Amino acid sequence: MPARHPQIGPPAAQHSSTSPAERDPLGAAPADGCPAPGTCDHGNPPDLDRYDAVLFDWDGTLVNSHPLNFRGLSRACADWGLTMDESFYTSKIGTSGAELISELSAATGTHVPIDEVVAQCLDLILDEIAELQTYRPVVQLAETLHGRVPLAIASGGARRAVHAGLDATGLRPLFADVITGEDVPRGKPDPGLFLLASARLAVAPARCLVYEDSTEGVQAAKTAGMDVVDVRCFRT
């Protein structure tokens, strides 16, 4: 009986004898910073027919939103007397804006109205949303899977930002559902986002595959009992 879902790449066992360009059906070789060289499947799970749903993170996975997010967050923080260094922001990728602001506020002893800072940050991000760029290899993978297996977004980002980004990039039709940070009480690495996404799709967690770009996101997917692919090795 043929597999229910398409095989988008060769089995992982072939990787040691196949060049990156040959083994990547998306046409992009894994980046030098692959987190698991020699063992990573570079976005091509060997048994895709095992899965009944595929979940995608948004920021840093499907889109290169971090430049927009950092500019919005740092400018909003500055208006309230907080300095958001890019190194601090980068080290916390995968953490929600509210959690970042709260942590920065506590570390500096500067009290700020977190909800107001987040709202201001969001407005600044939306002002630039037309500039949002996609990670084409990951988008192409989603396009390959669309119509063959249900796809959903499971993002810790703000609902308005994610939905505006989906519209700006034209990616909305690919996804059966969109789960964002407002839909769960805690962000990644808590598994709630992924568990909610699997519940909405009526698919058991063990039958879900996740694409992620952050350590927190990978941890959340694993805690949810899902297989996960780290896109950092092939998304550029």
Side-chain angles (χ1 to χ4, degrees), residues 47-106:
D47 297 309
L48 195 61
D49 57 306
R50 291 176 48 205
Y51 305 105
D52 293 326
V54 179
L55 312 179
F56 287 83
D57 174 51
W58 178 248
D59 296 293
T61 297
L62 285 159
V63 293
N64 183 18
S65 54
H66 295 316
L68 273 67
N69 292 346
F70 172 69
R71 286 198 297 272
L73 192 56
S74 61
R75 290 170 184 170
C77 284
D79 285 346
W80 294 92
L82 292 174
T83 300
M84 177 71 69
D85 292 328
E86 189 165 7
S87 59
F88 173 79
Y89 171 82
T90 302
S91 72
K92 301 290 183 177
I93 282 177
T95 305
S96 72
E99 291 171 315
L100 279 173
I101 296 165
S102 179
E103 185 173 342
L104 186 60
S105 175

CSV table of all heavy atoms in Angstrom, one decimal, residues 47-106:
chain,number,residue,atom,x,y,z
A,47,ASP,N,10.2,9.0,7.5
A,47,ASP,CA,8.9,8.3,7.4
A,47,ASP,C,7.8,9.3,7.6
A,47,ASP,O,7.0,9.2,8.5
A,47,ASP,CB,8.8,7.3,8.6
A,47,ASP,CG,9.9,6.2,8.5
A,47,ASP,OD1,10.0,5.6,7.4
A,47,ASP,OD2,10.6,6.0,9.5
A,48,LEU,N,7.6,10.1,6.6
A,48,LEU,CA,6.5,11.1,6.6
A,48,LEU,C,5.1,10.5,6.7
A,48,LEU,O,4.2,11.1,7.3
A,48,LEU,CB,6.6,12.0,5.4
A,48,LEU,CG,5.9,13.4,5.5
A,48,LEU,CD1,6.4,14.2,6.7
A,48,LEU,CD2,6.0,14.1,4.3
A,49,ASP,N,5.0,9.3,6.3
A,49,ASP,CA,3.7,8.7,6.3
A,49,ASP,C,3.2,8.3,7.8
A,49,ASP,O,2.1,7.9,8.0
A,49,ASP,CB,3.6,7.4,5.5
A,49,ASP,CG,4.7,6.4,5.8
A,49,ASP,OD1,5.9,6.8,5.9
A,49,ASP,OD2,4.3,5.2,6.1
A,50,ARG,N,4.2,8.5,8.7
A,50,ARG,CA,3.8,8.3,10.1
A,50,ARG,C,3.0,9.4,10.7
A,50,ARG,O,2.4,9.2,11.8
A,50,ARG,CB,5.1,8.2,11.0
A,50,ARG,CG,6.0,6.9,10.7
A,50,ARG,CD,7.2,7.0,11.6
A,50,ARG,NE,7.0,7.4,12.9
A,50,ARG,CZ,7.8,8.0,13.7
A,50,ARG,NH1,9.0,8.4,13.3
A,50,ARG,NH2,7.5,8.3,15.0
A,51,TYR,N,2.9,10.5,10.0
A,51,TYR,CA,2.3,11.7,10.6
A,51,TYR,C,0.9,12.0,10.0
A,51,TYR,O,0.8,11.9,8.8
A,51,TYR,CB,3.2,12.9,10.5
A,51,TYR,CG,4.6,12.6,11.1
A,51,TYR,CD1,5.7,12.4,10.2
A,51,TYR,CD2,4.8,12.5,12.4
A,51,TYR,CE1,6.9,12.1,10.8
A,51,TYR,CE2,6.0,12.2,13.0
A,51,TYR,CZ,7.1,12.0,12.2
A,51,TYR,OH,8.3,11.7,12.7
A,52,ASP,N,0.0,12.5,10.8
A,52,ASP,CA,-1.3,12.9,10.3
A,52,ASP,C,-1.5,14.4,10.4
A,52,ASP,O,-2.6,14.9,10.0
A,52,ASP,CB,-2.4,12.2,11.2
A,52,ASP,CG,-2.4,10.7,11.0
A,52,ASP,OD1,-2.2,10.2,9.9
A,52,ASP,OD2,-2.7,10.0,12.0
A,53,ALA,N,-0.5,15.1,10.9
A,53,ALA,CA,-0.5,16.6,10.9
A,53,ALA,C,0.9,17.1,11.0
A,53,ALA,O,1.8,16.4,11.6
A,53,ALA,CB,-1.4,17.1,12.0
A,54,VAL,N,1.1,18.3,10.4
A,54,VAL,CA,2.4,18.9,10.5
A,54,VAL,C,2.2,20.3,11.1
A,54,VAL,O,1.4,21.1,10.5
A,54,VAL,CB,3.2,19.0,9.2
A,54,VAL,CG1,4.5,19.7,9.3
A,54,VAL,CG2,3.4,17.6,8.6
A,55,LEU,N,2.9,20.7,12.1
A,55,LEU,CA,2.8,22.0,12.8
A,55,LEU,C,4.0,22.8,12.6
A,55,LEU,O,5.2,22.3,12.7
A,55,LEU,CB,2.6,21.8,14.3
A,55,LEU,CG,1.5,20.7,14.7
A,55,LEU,CD1,1.5,20.6,16.2
A,55,LEU,CD2,0.2,21.1,14.1
A,56,PHE,N,3.8,24.1,12.2
A,56,PHE,CA,4.9,25.0,12.0
A,56,PHE,C,4.9,26.1,13.0
A,56,PHE,O,3.9,26.8,13.2
A,56,PHE,CB,4.8,25.6,10.6
A,56,PHE,CG,5.1,24.7,9.4
A,56,PHE,CD1,4.2,23.8,9.0
A,56,PHE,CD2,6.4,24.6,8.9
A,56,PHE,CE1,4.4,22.9,7.9
A,56,PHE,CE2,6.7,23.8,7.8
A,56,PHE,CZ,5.7,22.9,7.3
A,57,ASP,N,6.1,26.4,13.6
A,57,ASP,CA,6.3,27.6,14.3
A,57,ASP,C,6.2,28.7,13.2
A,57,ASP,O,6.4,28.5,12.0
A,57,ASP,CB,7.6,27.6,15.0
A,57,ASP,CG,8.0,28.9,15.6
A,57,ASP,OD1,7.2,29.5,16.3
A,57,ASP,OD2,9.1,29.4,15.3
A,58,TRP,N,6.1,30.0,13.6
A,58,TRP,CA,6.0,31.1,12.7
A,58,TRP,C,7.3,31.9,12.7
A,58,TRP,O,8.0,31.8,11.7
A,58,TRP,CB,4.8,32.0,13.1
A,58,TRP,CG,4.6,33.2,12.2
A,58,TRP,CD1,4.8,34.5,12.6
A,58,TRP,CD2,4.2,33.3,10.8
A,58,TRP,NE1,4.6,35.4,11.5
A,58,TRP,CE2,4.2,34.6,10.4
A,58,TRP,CE3,3.9,32.3,9.9
A,58,TRP,CZ2,3.9,35.0,9.2
A,58,TRP,CZ3,3.6,32.7,8.6
A,58,TRP,CH2,3.5,34.1,8.3
A,59,ASP,N,7.5,32.6,13.7
A,59,ASP,CA,8.7,33.5,13.8
A,59,ASP,C,10.0,32.7,13.7
A,59,ASP,O,10.3,31.9,14.6
A,59,ASP,CB,8.7,34.4,15.1
A,59,ASP,CG,7.5,35.3,15.1
A,59,ASP,OD1,7.5,36.2,14.3
A,59,ASP,OD2,6.7,35.1,16.0
A,60,GLY,N,10.8,33.0,12.7
A,60,GLY,CA,12.1,32.3,12.6
A,60,GLY,C,12.1,31.0,11.9
A,60,GLY,O,13.1,30.4,11.6
A,61,THR,N,10.9,30.5,11.7
A,61,THR,CA,10.7,29.2,11.0
A,61,THR,C,10.2,29.4,9.6
A,61,THR,O,10.9,29.1,8.6
A,61,THR,CB,9.7,28.3,11.8
A,61,THR,OG1,10.3,28.0,13.1
A,61,THR,CG2,9.5,27.0,11.0
A,62,LEU,N,9.0,30.0,9.4
A,62,LEU,CA,8.5,30.3,8.1
A,62,LEU,C,8.9,31.7,7.6
A,62,LEU,O,9.0,31.9,6.4
A,62,LEU,CB,6.9,30.2,8.1
A,62,LEU,CG,6.4,28.8,8.2
A,62,LEU,CD1,5.0,28.7,8.7
A,62,LEU,CD2,6.4,28.1,6.8
A,63,VAL,N,9.1,32.6,8.6
A,63,VAL,CA,9.4,34.0,8.2
A,63,VAL,C,10.6,34.5,9.0
A,63,VAL,O,10.8,34.1,10.2
A,63,VAL,CB,8.2,34.9,8.4
A,63,VAL,CG1,7.1,34.6,7.4
A,63,VAL,CG2,7.7,34.9,9.8
A,64,ASN,N,11.3,35.4,8.4
A,64,ASN,CA,12.4,36.1,9.1
A,64,ASN,C,11.9,37.3,9.8
A,64,ASN,O,12.2,38.4,9.4
A,64,ASN,CB,13.5,36.4,8.1
A,64,ASN,CG,14.8,37.0,8.8
A,64,ASN,OD1,14.9,36.9,10.0
A,64,ASN,ND2,15.6,37.7,8.0
A,65,SER,N,11.1,37.1,10.8
A,65,SER,CA,10.5,38.2,11.5
A,65,SER,C,11.3,38.8,12.6
A,65,SER,O,11.0,39.9,13.2
A,65,SER,CB,9.1,37.8,12.1
A,65,SER,OG,9.4,36.6,12.9
A,66,HIS,N,12.4,38.2,12.9
A,66,HIS,CA,13.2,38.7,14.1
A,66,HIS,C,13.7,40.1,13.9
A,66,HIS,O,13.7,40.9,14.9
A,66,HIS,CB,14.4,37.7,14.4
A,66,HIS,CG,13.9,36.4,14.8
A,66,HIS,ND1,12.9,36.2,15.7
A,66,HIS,CD2,14.3,35.1,14.5
A,66,HIS,CE1,12.7,34.9,15.9
A,66,HIS,NE2,13.5,34.3,15.2
A,67,PRO,N,14.1,40.6,12.7
A,67,PRO,CA,14.5,42.0,12.6
A,67,PRO,C,13.4,42.9,12.9
A,67,PRO,O,13.6,43.9,13.6
A,67,PRO,CB,15.0,42.1,11.2
A,67,PRO,CG,15.4,40.7,10.8
A,67,PRO,CD,14.5,39.8,11.5
A,68,LEU,N,12.2,42.7,12.4
A,68,LEU,CA,11.0,43.5,12.7
A,68,LEU,C,10.7,43.4,14.2
A,68,LEU,O,10.4,44.5,14.8
A,68,LEU,CB,9.8,43.1,11.9
A,68,LEU,CG,9.7,43.6,10.5
A,68,LEU,CD1,10.8,43.1,9.5
A,68,LEU,CD2,8.3,43.3,9.9
A,69,ASN,N,10.7,42.2,14.7
A,69,ASN,CA,10.3,42.1,16.1
A,69,ASN,C,11.3,42.8,17.1
A,69,ASN,O,10.9,43.5,18.0
A,69,ASN,CB,10.2,40.6,16.5
A,69,ASN,CG,9.1,39.9,15.8
A,69,ASN,OD1,8.2,40.5,15.3
A,69,ASN,ND2,9.1,38.6,15.8
A,70,PHE,N,12.6,42.7,16.8
A,70,PHE,CA,13.6,43.4,17.6
A,70,PHE,C,13.5,44.9,17.5
A,70,PHE,O,13.5,45.6,18.6
A,70,PHE,CB,15.0,42.9,17.2
A,70,PHE,CG,16.0,43.7,17.9
A,70,PHE,CD1,16.2,43.6,19.3
A,70,PHE,CD2,16.8,44.7,17.3
A,70,PHE,CE1,17.2,44.4,20.0
A,70,PHE,CE2,17.8,45.4,17.9
A,70,PHE,CZ,17.9,45.3,19.3
A,71,ARG,N,13.3,45.4,16.3
A,71,ARG,CA,13.1,46.8,16.2
A,71,ARG,C,11.9,47.3,17.0
A,71,ARG,O,12.0,48.4,17.7
A,71,ARG,CB,13.0,47.2,14.7
A,71,ARG,CG,14.3,47.2,14.0
A,71,ARG,CD,14.3,48.0,12.7
A,71,ARG,NE,13.3,47.5,11.7
A,71,ARG,CZ,13.6,46.5,10.8
A,71,ARG,NH1,14.8,45.9,10.8
A,71,ARG,NH2,12.6,46.1,10.0
A,72,GLY,N,10.8,46.7,16.8
A,72,GLY,CA,9.6,47.1,17.5
A,72,GLY,C,9.8,47.0,19.0
A,72,GLY,O,9.4,47.9,19.8
A,73,LEU,N,10.3,45.9,19.5
A,73,LEU,CA,10.5,45.7,20.9
A,73,LEU,C,11.5,46.7,21.5
A,73,LEU,O,11.2,47.3,22.6
A,73,LEU,CB,11.0,44.3,21.2
A,73,LEU,CG,10.9,43.7,22.6
A,73,LEU,CD1,9.5,43.9,23.2
A,73,LEU,CD2,11.4,42.3,22.7
A,74,SER,N,12.6,46.9,20.9
A,74,SER,CA,13.6,47.8,21.4
A,74,SER,C,13.1,49.2,21.4
A,74,SER,O,13.4,50.0,22.4
A,74,SER,CB,14.9,47.7,20.6
A,74,SER,OG,14.7,48.0,19.2
A,75,ARG,N,12.4,49.6,20.4
A,75,ARG,CA,11.9,51.0,20.4
A,75,ARG,C,10.8,51.2,21.4
A,75,ARG,O,10.8,52.3,22.1
A,75,ARG,CB,11.3,51.3,19.0
A,75,ARG,CG,12.4,51.4,17.9
A,75,ARG,CD,11.8,51.5,16.5
A,75,ARG,NE,12.8,51.5,15.5
A,75,ARG,CZ,12.5,51.3,14.2
A,75,ARG,NH1,11.2,51.2,13.8
A,75,ARG,NH2,13.5,51.3,13.3
A,76,ALA,N,9.9,50.2,21.6
A,76,ALA,CA,8.9,50.3,22.6
A,76,ALA,C,9.5,50.4,24.0
A,76,ALA,O,9.1,51.2,24.9
A,76,ALA,CB,7.9,49.2,22.5
A,77,CYS,N,10.5,49.5,24.2
A,77,CYS,CA,11.2,49.5,25.5
A,77,CYS,C,11.9,50.8,25.8
A,77,CYS,O,11.8,51.3,26.9
A,77,CYS,CB,12.2,48.4,25.6
A,77,CYS,SG,11.5,46.7,25.8
A,78,ALA,N,12.5,51.4,24.8
A,78,ALA,CA,13.2,52.6,25.0
A,78,ALA,C,12.3,53.8,25.5
A,78,ALA,O,12.7,54.6,26.3
A,78,ALA,CB,13.9,53.0,23.7
A,79,ASP,N,11.1,53.7,25.0
A,79,ASP,CA,10.1,54.8,25.4
A,79,ASP,C,9.8,54.7,26.8
A,79,ASP,O,9.2,55.6,27.4
A,79,ASP,CB,8.8,54.7,24.5
A,79,ASP,CG,9.1,55.2,23.1
A,79,ASP,OD1,10.1,55.9,22.9
A,79,ASP,OD2,8.2,55.0,22.2
A,80,TRP,N,10.0,53.5,27.4
A,80,TRP,CA,9.7,53.3,28.9
A,80,TRP,C,11.0,53.2,29.7
A,80,TRP,O,10.9,52.7,30.8
A,80,TRP,CB,8.8,52.1,29.0
A,80,TRP,CG,7.5,52.2,28.4
A,80,TRP,CD1,7.1,51.9,27.1
A,80,TRP,CD2,6.3,52.8,29.0
A,80,TRP,NE1,5.8,52.2,26.9
A,80,TRP,CE2,5.3,52.7,28.1
A,80,TRP,CE3,6.1,53.3,30.3
A,80,TRP,CZ2,4.0,53.2,28.4
A,80,TRP,CZ3,4.8,53.7,30.6
A,80,TRP,CH2,3.8,53.7,29.6
A,81,GLY,N,12.1,53.6,29.1
A,81,GLY,CA,13.3,53.6,29.9
A,81,GLY,C,14.1,52.3,30.0
A,81,GLY,O,15.0,52.2,30.8
A,82,LEU,N,13.8,51.4,29.1
A,82,LEU,CA,14.4,50.1,29.1
A,82,LEU,C,15.3,50.0,27.9
A,82,LEU,O,14.9,50.4,26.8
A,82,LEU,CB,13.4,48.9,29.1
A,82,LEU,CG,12.6,48.7,30.4
A,82,LEU,CD1,11.6,47.6,30.2
A,82,LEU,CD2,13.5,48.4,31.6
A,83,THR,N,16.5,49.4,28.0
A,83,THR,CA,17.3,49.2,26.9
A,83,THR,C,17.3,47.7,26.5
A,83,THR,O,17.8,46.8,27.3
A,83,THR,CB,18.8,49.6,27.2
A,83,THR,OG1,18.8,51.0,27.5
A,83,THR,CG2,19.7,49.3,26.0
A,84,MET,N,16.8,47.4,25.4
A,84,MET,CA,16.8,46.0,24.9
A,84,MET,C,18.0,45.7,23.9
A,84,MET,O,18.0,46.2,22.8
A,84,MET,CB,15.5,45.7,24.2
A,84,MET,CG,15.3,44.3,23.6
A,84,MET,SD,15.2,43.0,24.8
A,84,MET,CE,13.5,43.4,25.4
A,85,ASP,N,19.0,45.1,24.4
A,85,ASP,CA,20.2,44.8,23.6
A,85,ASP,C,19.8,43.7,22.7
A,85,ASP,O,19.1,42.7,23.0
A,85,ASP,CB,21.4,44.4,24.5
A,85,ASP,CG,21.9,45.6,25.3
A,85,ASP,OD1,21.8,46.7,24.8
A,85,ASP,OD2,22.4,45.3,26.4
A,86,GLU,N,20.4,43.8,21.5
A,86,GLU,CA,20.1,42.7,20.5
A,86,GLU,C,20.7,41.4,20.9
A,86,GLU,O,20.1,40.3,20.7
A,86,GLU,CB,20.7,43.1,19.1
A,86,GLU,CG,20.3,42.1,18.0
A,86,GLU,CD,20.5,42.7,16.6
A,86,GLU,OE1,21.2,43.8,16.5
A,86,GLU,OE2,20.1,42.1,15.7
A,87,SER,N,21.8,41.4,21.6
A,87,SER,CA,22.4,40.1,22.1
A,87,SER,C,21.4,39.4,23.1
A,87,SER,O,21.2,38.2,23.1
A,87,SER,CB,23.7,40.3,22.8
A,87,SER,OG,23.6,41.2,23.8
A,88,PHE,N,20.8,40.3,24.0
A,88,PHE,CA,19.8,39.7,25.0
A,88,PHE,C,18.6,39.2,24.2
A,88,PHE,O,18.1,38.1,24.5
A,88,PHE,CB,19.4,40.8,25.9
A,88,PHE,CG,18.3,40.4,26.9
A,88,PHE,CD1,18.5,39.7,28.0
A,88,PHE,CD2,17.0,40.9,26.6
A,88,PHE,CE1,17.5,39.3,28.8
A,88,PHE,CE2,16.0,40.5,27.5
A,88,PHE,CZ,16.2,39.7,28.6
A,89,TYR,N,18.1,39.9,23.3
A,89,TYR,CA,17.0,39.5,22.5
A,89,TYR,C,17.3,38.2,21.8
A,89,TYR,O,16.5,37.2,21.8
A,89,TYR,CB,16.6,40.6,21.5
A,89,TYR,CG,15.5,40.1,20.5
A,89,TYR,CD1,14.2,40.1,20.8
A,89,TYR,CD2,15.9,39.7,19.2
A,89,TYR,CE1,13.2,39.7,19.9
A,89,TYR,CE2,14.9,39.2,18.3
A,89,TYR,CZ,13.6,39.3,18.7
A,89,TYR,OH,12.7,38.8,17.8
A,90,THR,N,18.4,38.1,21.1
A,90,THR,CA,18.8,36.9,20.4
A,90,THR,C,18.9,35.7,21.3
A,90,THR,O,18.5,34.6,20.9
A,90,THR,CB,20.1,37.1,19.6
A,90,THR,OG1,19.9,38.3,18.7
A,90,THR,CG2,20.5,35.9,18.8
A,91,SER,N,19.4,35.9,22.5
A,91,SER,CA,19.6,34.8,23.4
A,91,SER,C,18.2,34.2,23.9
A,91,SER,O,18.2,33.1,24.4
A,91,SER,CB,20.4,35.2,24.6
A,91,SER,OG,19.7,36.1,25.4
A,92,LYS,N,17.2,35.0,23.7
A,92,LYS,CA,15.9,34.7,24.2
A,92,LYS,C,14.9,34.4,23.1
A,92,LYS,O,13.7,34.3,23.4
A,92,LYS,CB,15.3,35.8,25.1
A,92,LYS,CG,16.2,36.2,26.3
A,92,LYS,CD,16.2,35.0,27.4
A,92,LYS,CE,17.0,35.4,28.6
A,92,LYS,NZ,17.0,34.4,29.6
A,93,ILE,N,15.3,34.1,21.9
A,93,ILE,CA,14.4,33.8,20.8
A,93,ILE,C,13.6,32.6,21.2
A,93,ILE,O,14.1,31.6,21.6
A,93,ILE,CB,15.2,33.6,19.5
A,93,ILE,CG1,15.6,35.0,18.9
A,93,ILE,CG2,14.4,32.9,18.5
A,93,ILE,CD1,16.5,34.9,17.7
A,94,GLY,N,12.3,32.7,20.9
A,94,GLY,CA,11.4,31.7,21.3
A,94,GLY,C,10.6,32.0,22.6
A,94,GLY,O,9.6,31.4,22.9
A,95,THR,N,11.0,33.1,23.3
A,95,THR,CA,10.3,33.6,24.4
A,95,THR,C,9.4,34.8,24.0
A,95,THR,O,9.7,35.6,23.1
A,95,THR,CB,11.3,34.2,25.5
A,95,THR,OG1,12.3,33.2,25.8
A,95,THR,CG2,10.7,34.6,26.7
A,96,SER,N,8.2,34.9,24.6
A,96,SER,CA,7.3,35.9,24.2
A,96,SER,C,7.8,37.3,24.6
A,96,SER,O,8.6,37.5,25.5
A,96,SER,CB,5.9,35.7,24.9
A,96,SER,OG,6.0,36.0,26.3
A,97,GLY,N,7.3,38.3,23.8
A,97,GLY,CA,7.6,39.7,24.1
A,97,GLY,C,7.3,40.1,25.5
A,97,GLY,O,8.1,40.8,26.2
A,98,ALA,N,6.2,39.7,26.1
A,98,ALA,CA,5.8,40.0,27.4
A,98,ALA,C,6.8,39.4,28.4
A,98,ALA,O,7.2,40.1,29.4
A,98,ALA,CB,4.4,39.5,27.7
A,99,GLU,N,7.2,38.2,28.2
A,99,GLU,CA,8.2,37.6,29.1
A,99,GLU,C,9.6,38.3,29.0
A,99,GLU,O,10.2,38.5,30.0
A,99,GLU,CB,8.3,36.1,28.8
A,99,GLU,CG,7.1,35.3,29.1
A,99,GLU,CD,7.1,33.9,28.6
A,99,GLU,OE1,7.5,33.7,27.4
A,99,GLU,OE2,6.8,33.0,29.4
A,100,LEU,N,9.9,38.7,27.8
A,100,LEU,CA,11.2,39.4,27.6
A,100,LEU,C,11.2,40.7,28.4
A,100,LEU,O,12.1,41.1,29.1
A,100,LEU,CB,11.5,39.7,26.2
A,100,LEU,CG,12.1,38.5,25.3
A,100,LEU,CD1,12.1,38.9,23.9
A,100,LEU,CD2,13.5,38.2,25.8
A,101,ILE,N,10.1,41.5,28.2
A,101,ILE,CA,10.0,42.8,28.9
A,101,ILE,C,9.9,42.6,30.4
A,101,ILE,O,10.6,43.3,31.1
A,101,ILE,CB,8.7,43.5,28.4
A,101,ILE,CG1,8.8,43.8,26.9
A,101,ILE,CG2,8.5,44.8,29.2
A,101,ILE,CD1,7.5,44.2,26.3
A,102,SER,N,9.2,41.6,30.9
A,102,SER,CA,9.2,41.3,32.3
A,102,SER,C,10.5,41.0,32.9
A,102,SER,O,10.9,41.5,33.9
A,102,SER,CB,8.2,40.2,32.6
A,102,SER,OG,8.1,39.9,33.9
A,103,GLU,N,11.3,40.2,32.2
A,103,GLU,CA,12.6,39.8,32.6
A,103,GLU,C,13.5,41.0,32.6
A,103,GLU,O,14.3,41.2,33.6
A,103,GLU,CB,13.2,38.7,31.7
A,103,GLU,CG,14.5,38.1,32.2
A,103,GLU,CD,14.9,36.9,31.4
A,103,GLU,OE1,14.1,36.3,30.7
A,103,GLU,OE2,16.1,36.6,31.5
A,104,LEU,N,13.5,41.8,31.6
A,104,LEU,CA,14.3,42.9,31.5
A,104,LEU,C,14.0,44.0,32.6
A,104,LEU,O,14.8,44.6,33.2
A,104,LEU,CB,14.2,43.6,30.1
A,104,LEU,CG,15.1,44.8,29.8
A,104,LEU,CD1,16.6,44.3,29.9
A,104,LEU,CD2,14.8,45.3,28.4
A,105,SER,N,12.7,44.1,32.8
A,105,SER,CA,12.2,45.0,33.8
A,105,SER,C,12.7,44.6,35.2
A,105,SER,O,13.2,45.4,36.0
A,105,SER,CB,10.7,45.1,33.8
A,105,SER,OG,10.2,45.9,34.9
A,106,ALA,N,12.6,43.3,35.5
A,106,ALA,CA,13.0,42.8,36.8
A,106,ALA,C,14.5,42.9,37.0
A,106,ALA,O,15.0,43.3,38.1
A,106,ALA,CB,12.6,41.3,37.0
